[in-house]
Amino acid sequence: MTDAPAPRHSRRGLFAPLIAALVLLAAWTVWWFWLAGQIEGRLKTQAEALRGQGWDVRYVEGGIDGWPFRTRLALDRVTVAAPSGHALAAPRIVAEANAYNPSKWVLVAPDGLTLTRVGKGEVNVRGQAIRMSVHGLNQAWPNIAVELVRPQFTPHPGAEPFPIRRAGKVEFYTRPHRTTDGGPNDSVDMLFRLIDAEGRDSGPVQGLAQGGRMTLQIEGVVEKASALRGMDEAGVFSAWTRAGGRFSRIRGEAAAGDSRARISSEGLSADANGRLVGQVALKAEKPLPAIAGLAGSGDGAVNRAGATGAAAASAASGGQGDVDLTVVLRDGRTYLGPFALAPAPKLF
């Protein structure tokens, strides 16, 4: 009696996982190329829309790669100039996103930027890292984070000096403002940090910091944020101001050399000339060195007589200790008590 041959097992089960993986890979590849086409199309559509509003948008597209899990878009010789004349240019911009989450992007300027200031000329911005992340593109206002690591600011020949020569870090963040009841609103939270900044020679920042470094942190709420999408020849803040936009609930801290201050203001807006208007309260520690340093700076915008008077008044009131001060922005000037120190900051 002979043994019956062992039954042969089907091998179809061995190939099933491989076939499923190939089907998923094919479907994912189709999705990836569809997404790449959508990105290229939306980039062109947005550029054309901006050109129709008076912007100058130029770039050389380097194509999209990063398959299978990322989408990476490279643009060369990028220029984005607003109708106001303010502009940013970069030799190269690289933008990346996860293919499975294309609502969050990271943009990097590996070769630095050139900033054009209307009436003041151009300044090169170079650093260890210059990057921006944007996510929540499906929100009314996305979350934005800008970070410059060890930036250096170099004005072009013939351009006006830039207040800062270099810094340890510059950061700027925005997010939709959260109301207590969770309801819709038209405001955006913002946070700005300037860390270990060195002012240019004989400039106001160098004077305030007494030749040392300045660190500044400011946070607040931008009201009427939807109006920031408007633009005219005076800039984005001009249309925003006409729509009733203002900064509110401003809080911050500043350190300049040996001087320290806590900053607060319930509201700042801009006048018809683009200069800030409002009051800023300072709880200052050792303000005299900073005010005296400002008075001794060689910057032409600083009212040296006013700064010298403010320094003298601060010394008479105990400016080497802690003191409460109020800075008033009005009529295009910055006042400390009756003393005009410098022009008020200009938004547009």
Side-chain angles (χ1 to χ4, degrees):
M1 182 176 178
T2 60
D3 294 335
R8 300 184 65 183
H9 296 285
S10 173
R11 296 185 179 180
R12 285 180 297 179
L14 299 176
F15 293 106
L18 177 60
I19 293 172
L22 290 174
V23 170
L24 288 174
L25 180 60
W28 181 262
T29 301
V30 171
W31 154 257
W32 189 93
F33 279 100
W34 177 85
L35 177 63
Q38 289 290 305
I39 293 170
E40 290 180 329
R42 291 183 182 182
L43 175 64
K44 293 176 182 177
T45 299
Q46 185 62 46
E48 287 300 326
L50 288 173
R51 292 182 185 117
Q53 298 172 17
W55 291 64
D56 179 14
V57 180
R58 287 172 282 159
Y59 59 88
V60 176
E61 189 172 339
I64 296 180
D65 57 23
W67 181 91
F69 298 119
R70 302 190 68 80
T71 51
R72 179 180 181 275
L73 172 65
L75 302 175
D76 295 323
R77 300 195 293 277
V78 180
T79 298
V80 179
S84 61
H86 295 290
L88 277 176
R92 187 172 180 83
I93 296 289
V94 178
E96 288 192 7
N98 291 321
Y100 52 83
N101 183 20
S103 66
K104 181 175 181 179
W105 285 83
V106 176
L107 290 76
V108 178
D111 301 319
L113 301 168
T114 298
L115 170 66
T116 299
R117 304 166 293 163
V118 175
K120 297 182 179 180
E122 299 178 333
V123 57
N124 286 335
V125 185
R126 301 290 184 271
Q128 183 176 317
I130 300 175
R131 51 183 172 247
M132 177 176 73
S133 68
V134 181
H135 70 91
L137 293 173
N138 55 345
Q139 301 172 165
W141 189 272
N143 295 58
I144 299 174
V146 179
E147 184 180 31
L148 284 67
V149 180
R150 299 189 183 280
Q152 297 188 21
F153 304 90
T154 307
H156 283 200
E160 284 192 17
F162 199 72
I164 300 169
R165 180 170 53 186
R166 63 174 64 92
K169 186 177 287 188
V170 179
E171 300 174 333
F172 178 73
Y173 303 92
T174 69
R175 68 179 185 186
H177 180 66
R178 294 179 174 87
T179 58
T180 54
D181 59 3
N185 65 88
D186 190 20
S187 299
V188 171
D189 294 333
M190 68 167 187
L191 172 64
F192 173 77
R193 291 193 183 110
L194 175 65
I195 301 172
D196 288 340
E198 297 180 27
R200 62 176 176 81
D201 292 340
S202 302
V205 172
Q206 187 185 70
L208 283 169
Q210 306 110 60
R213 298 183 179 183
M214 172 183 285
T215 292
L216 173 68
Q217 174 173 309
I218 295 288
E219 60 182 280
V221 178
V222 181
E223 299 181 1
K224 301 283 186 181
S226 60
L228 289 170
R229 295 186 174 92
M231 175 67 73
D232 59 22
E233 292 184 356
V236 64
F237 286 110
S238 174
W240 173 72
T241 297
R242 291 199 308 272
R246 69 172 196 143
F247 303 105
S248 64
R249 284 171 271 184
I250 300 166
R251 300 292 183 270
E253 296 180 350
D258 295 328
S259 302
R260 304 285 187 274
R262 293 195 301 274
I263 303 165
S264 63
S265 176
E266 294 310 309
L268 295 174
S269 57
D271 61 18
N273 296 318
R275 300 283 182 182
L276 282 180
V277 177
Q279 292 189 4
V280 179
L282 303 176
K283 289 188 174 297
E285 175 186 340
K286 297 182 180 180
L288 179 57
I291 299 173
L294 180 65
S297 70
D299 189 82
V302 175
N303 182 349
R304 299 184 67 176
T308 300
S314 177
S317 62
Q320 291 290 355
D322 298 346
V323 62
D324 291 337
L325 302 172
T326 300
V327 173
V328 179
L329 307 171
R330 60 178 172 84
D331 302 326
R333 307 292 291 176
T334 300
Y335 290 89
L336 182 60
F339 304 104
L341 303 180
K346 188 175 178 64
L347 282 184
F348 59 87

Coordinates of all heavy atoms in Angstrom, one line a residue, residues 164 167-173 191-198 205 208 213-219 250-257 259-264 280 282 345:
I164 N 18.9 97.7 12.9 CA 19.6 96.5 13.5 C 20.7 96.0 12.6 O 20.5 95.9 11.4 CB 18.6 95.5 13.8 CG1 17.5 96.0 14.8 CG2 19.2 94.2 14.4 CD1 16.3 95.1 14.9
A167 N 21.1 90.0 14.9 CA 20.3 89.5 16.1 C 20.5 88.0 16.3 O 20.9 87.3 15.4 CB 18.9 89.8 15.9
G168 N 20.3 87.6 17.6 CA 20.3 86.2 17.8 C 19.2 85.4 17.1 O 19.3 84.4 16.6
K169 N 18.0 86.1 17.2 CA 16.8 85.4 16.6 C 15.7 86.5 16.4 O 15.6 87.4 17.3 CB 16.3 84.3 17.4 CG 15.2 83.5 16.8 CD 14.8 82.3 17.7 CE 15.8 81.2 17.6 NZ 15.4 80.0 18.3
V170 N 15.0 86.4 15.4 CA 13.7 87.2 15.2 C 12.6 86.2 14.9 O 12.7 85.3 14.1 CB 13.9 88.1 14.0 CG1 12.6 88.9 13.8 CG2 15.1 89.1 14.2
E171 N 11.5 86.4 15.7 CA 10.4 85.5 15.5 C 9.1 86.3 15.4 O 8.9 87.3 16.0 CB 10.2 84.5 16.7 CG 11.5 83.6 16.9 CD 11.4 82.8 18.2 OE1 10.7 83.3 19.2 OE2 12.0 81.7 18.3
F172 N 8.1 85.8 14.6 CA 6.8 86.4 14.5 C 5.8 85.3 14.3 O 6.0 84.4 13.5 CB 6.8 87.3 13.2 CG 5.5 88.0 13.0 CD1 5.0 89.0 13.8 CD2 4.7 87.6 12.0 CE1 3.8 89.6 13.6 CE2 3.4 88.1 11.7 CZ 3.0 89.2 12.6
Y173 N 4.7 85.4 15.1 CA 3.7 84.3 15.0 C 2.3 85.0 15.0 O 2.1 86.1 15.6 CB 3.7 83.5 16.3 CG 5.0 82.8 16.6 CD1 6.0 83.4 17.4 CD2 5.3 81.6 16.0 CE1 7.2 82.8 17.6 CE2 6.6 81.0 16.3 CZ 7.5 81.6 17.1 OH 8.7 81.0 17.3
L191 N 2.4 87.6 18.0 CA 3.6 87.7 18.9 C 4.8 87.9 18.2 O 5.1 87.3 17.1 CB 3.7 86.3 19.7 CG 4.9 86.1 20.5 CD1 5.0 87.1 21.7 CD2 5.0 84.7 21.0
F192 N 5.6 88.9 18.6 CA 6.9 89.3 18.0 C 8.0 89.2 19.0 O 7.8 89.7 20.1 CB 6.8 90.7 17.4 CG 8.1 91.2 16.8 CD1 8.6 90.7 15.6 CD2 8.9 92.1 17.6 CE1 9.8 91.2 15.1 CE2 10.1 92.6 17.1 CZ 10.5 92.1 15.9
R193 N 9.1 88.6 18.6 CA 10.2 88.5 19.5 C 11.5 88.9 18.7 O 11.7 88.5 17.6 CB 10.5 87.1 20.0 CG 9.5 86.6 21.0 CD 9.9 85.3 21.7 NE 9.0 84.7 22.6 CZ 8.3 83.6 22.3 NH1 8.6 82.9 21.2 NH2 7.5 83.1 23.2
L194 N 12.3 89.8 19.3 CA 13.6 90.2 18.8 C 14.6 89.9 20.0 O 14.5 90.5 21.0 CB 13.6 91.7 18.5 CG 14.9 92.4 18.1 CD1 15.4 91.8 16.8 CD2 14.7 93.9 18.0
I195 N 15.5 89.0 19.7 CA 16.3 88.5 20.8 C 17.8 88.8 20.5 O 18.3 88.6 19.4 CB 16.2 86.9 20.9 CG1 14.7 86.6 21.2 CG2 17.1 86.4 22.0 CD1 14.4 85.1 21.1
D196 N 18.4 89.4 21.5 CA 19.9 89.8 21.4 C 20.2 90.5 20.1 O 21.1 90.2 19.4 CB 20.7 88.5 21.5 CG 20.7 87.9 22.9 OD1 20.4 88.6 23.8 OD2 21.0 86.7 23.0
A197 N 19.5 91.6 19.9 CA 19.7 92.5 18.8 C 20.8 93.5 19.0 O 20.9 94.1 20.1 CB 18.5 93.2 18.3
E198 N 21.7 93.7 18.0 CA 22.7 94.7 18.1 C 22.4 95.8 17.1 O 22.2 95.5 15.9 CB 24.1 94.1 17.7 CG 24.6 93.0 18.7 CD 25.9 92.4 18.2 OE1 26.7 93.2 17.6 OE2 26.2 91.3 18.5
V205 N 19.0 102.1 18.3 CA 19.0 100.8 19.1 C 20.3 100.7 19.8 O 20.3 100.3 21.0 CB 18.8 99.6 18.1 CG1 19.0 98.3 18.8 CG2 17.4 99.7 17.5
L208 N 20.0 103.0 22.9 CA 19.1 102.5 23.9 C 19.8 101.4 24.7 O 19.6 101.3 25.9 CB 17.8 102.0 23.3 CG 16.8 103.1 22.9 CD1 15.7 102.5 22.0 CD2 16.2 103.8 24.1
R213 N 23.1 94.8 23.9 CA 22.1 94.2 23.1 C 20.7 94.5 23.6 O 20.5 94.7 24.8 CB 22.3 92.7 23.1 CG 23.7 92.3 22.5 CD 23.9 90.8 22.4 NE 25.1 90.5 21.7 CZ 25.5 89.2 21.5 NH1 24.8 88.2 21.8 NH2 26.7 89.0 20.9
M214 N 19.7 94.3 22.7 CA 18.3 94.6 23.0 C 17.5 93.3 22.8 O 17.7 92.6 21.8 CB 17.8 95.7 22.2 CG 16.2 95.9 22.4 SD 15.6 97.2 21.3 CE 16.2 98.7 22.2
T215 N 16.6 93.0 23.7 CA 15.6 92.0 23.6 C 14.3 92.5 23.8 O 14.0 93.3 24.7 CB 15.9 90.8 24.5 OG1 17.2 90.2 24.2 CG2 14.8 89.8 24.5
L216 N 13.3 92.2 22.9 CA 12.0 92.8 22.9 C 11.0 91.7 22.6 O 11.2 90.9 21.7 CB 11.9 93.9 21.9 CG 10.5 94.5 21.7 CD1 10.0 95.2 22.9 CD2 10.5 95.4 20.4
Q217 N 9.9 91.6 23.4 CA 8.8 90.7 23.2 C 7.5 91.5 23.3 O 7.3 92.1 24.3 CB 8.8 89.5 24.1 CG 7.6 88.6 24.0 CD 7.6 87.3 24.8 OE1 8.6 86.6 24.7 NE2 6.6 87.1 25.6
I218 N 6.7 91.4 22.2 CA 5.4 92.1 22.2 C 4.4 91.2 21.7 O 4.5 90.5 20.7 CB 5.5 93.3 21.2 CG1 6.5 94.4 21.7 CG2 4.1 94.0 21.0 CD1 6.0 95.1 22.9
E219 N 3.2 91.1 22.4 CA 2.1 90.4 21.9 C 0.8 91.2 22.0 O 0.8 92.2 22.8 CB 1.9 89.1 22.7 CG 1.7 89.3 24.2 CD 1.5 88.0 25.0 OE1 0.4 87.4 24.9 OE2 2.5 87.6 25.6
I250 N -2.2 95.0 24.1 CA -0.7 94.9 23.9 C 0.0 94.7 25.2 O -0.2 95.5 26.1 CB -0.2 96.1 23.1 CG1 -0.9 96.3 21.8 CG2 1.3 96.1 22.9 CD1 -0.7 97.6 21.1
R251 N 0.8 93.7 25.2 CA 1.6 93.4 26.4 C 3.0 93.0 26.0 O 3.2 92.4 24.9 CB 1.0 92.3 27.3 CG -0.4 92.6 27.8 CD -0.4 93.7 28.8 NE -1.7 93.9 29.4 CZ -2.6 94.7 28.9 NH1 -2.3 95.4 27.8 NH2 -3.8 94.9 29.4
G252 N 4.0 93.3 26.8 CA 5.4 92.9 26.4 C 6.4 93.3 27.4 O 6.1 93.8 28.5
E253 N 7.6 92.9 27.1 CA 8.8 93.2 27.9 C 10.0 93.6 27.0 O 10.1 93.2 25.9 CB 9.2 91.9 28.7 CG 8.2 91.5 29.7 CD 8.6 90.2 30.4 OE1 9.7 89.6 30.1 OE2 8.0 89.9 31.4
A254 N 10.8 94.5 27.5 CA 12.0 94.9 26.8 C 13.2 95.0 27.7 O 13.0 95.3 28.9 CB 11.7 96.3 26.2
A255 N 14.3 94.7 27.2 CA 15.6 94.8 27.9 C 16.6 95.4 27.0 O 16.8 94.9 25.9 CB 16.1 93.4 28.4
A256 N 17.2 96.5 27.4 CA 18.2 97.2 26.6 C 19.3 97.6 27.5 O 19.2 98.5 28.3 CB 17.6 98.5 25.9
G257 N 20.5 96.9 27.3 CA 21.6 97.1 28.2 C 21.2 96.8 29.6 O 20.7 95.7 30.0
S259 N 18.9 98.5 31.2 CA 17.5 99.0 31.4 C 16.5 97.9 31.1 O 16.7 97.1 30.2 CB 17.2 100.2 30.6 OG 18.1 101.3 30.9
R260 N 15.4 97.8 31.9 CA 14.3 96.9 31.7 C 13.0 97.6 31.7 O 12.8 98.6 32.4 CB 14.3 95.8 32.7 CG 15.6 95.0 32.9 CD 15.8 94.0 31.7 NE 17.0 93.2 31.9 CZ 18.2 93.5 31.6 NH1 18.4 94.7 31.0 NH2 19.2 92.7 31.8
A261 N 12.0 97.0 31.1 CA 10.6 97.6 31.1 C 9.6 96.6 30.8 O 9.8 95.7 29.9 CB 10.5 98.8 30.2
R262 N 8.4 96.7 31.5 CA 7.2 95.9 31.1 C 6.3 96.9 30.4 O 6.1 98.0 30.8 CB 6.6 95.3 32.3 CG 7.4 94.2 33.0 CD 6.5 93.4 34.0 NE 5.9 94.3 35.0 CZ 6.6 94.6 36.1 NH1 7.8 94.1 36.4 NH2 6.0 95.3 37.1
I263 N 5.7 96.4 29.3 CA 5.0 97.3 28.3 C 3.6 96.9 28.3 O 3.2 95.7 28.3 CB 5.6 97.2 26.9 CG1 7.1 97.5 26.9 CG2 4.9 98.1 25.9 CD1 7.9 97.1 25.7
S264 N 2.7 97.9 28.3 CA 1.2 97.6 28.1 C 0.5 98.8 27.4 O 0.9 99.9 27.6 CB 0.6 97.3 29.5 OG 0.6 98.5 30.3
V280 N 1.4 104.2 25.6 CA 2.1 103.0 26.0 C 2.6 103.2 27.4 O 3.3 104.1 27.7 CB 3.2 102.6 25.1 CG1 3.9 101.3 25.6 CG2 2.7 102.4 23.6
L282 N 4.8 102.1 30.6 CA 6.1 101.4 30.9 C 6.3 101.3 32.4 O 6.3 102.3 33.1 CB 7.3 102.1 30.2 CG 7.3 102.4 28.7 CD1 8.5 103.2 28.3 CD2 7.2 101.0 28.0
P345 N 6.5 105.5 15.3 CA 6.6 104.4 14.4 C 5.6 104.5 13.2 O 4.5 104.9 13.4 CB 6.4 103.1 15.2 CG 6.8 103.6 16.6 CD 6.4 105.0 16.7

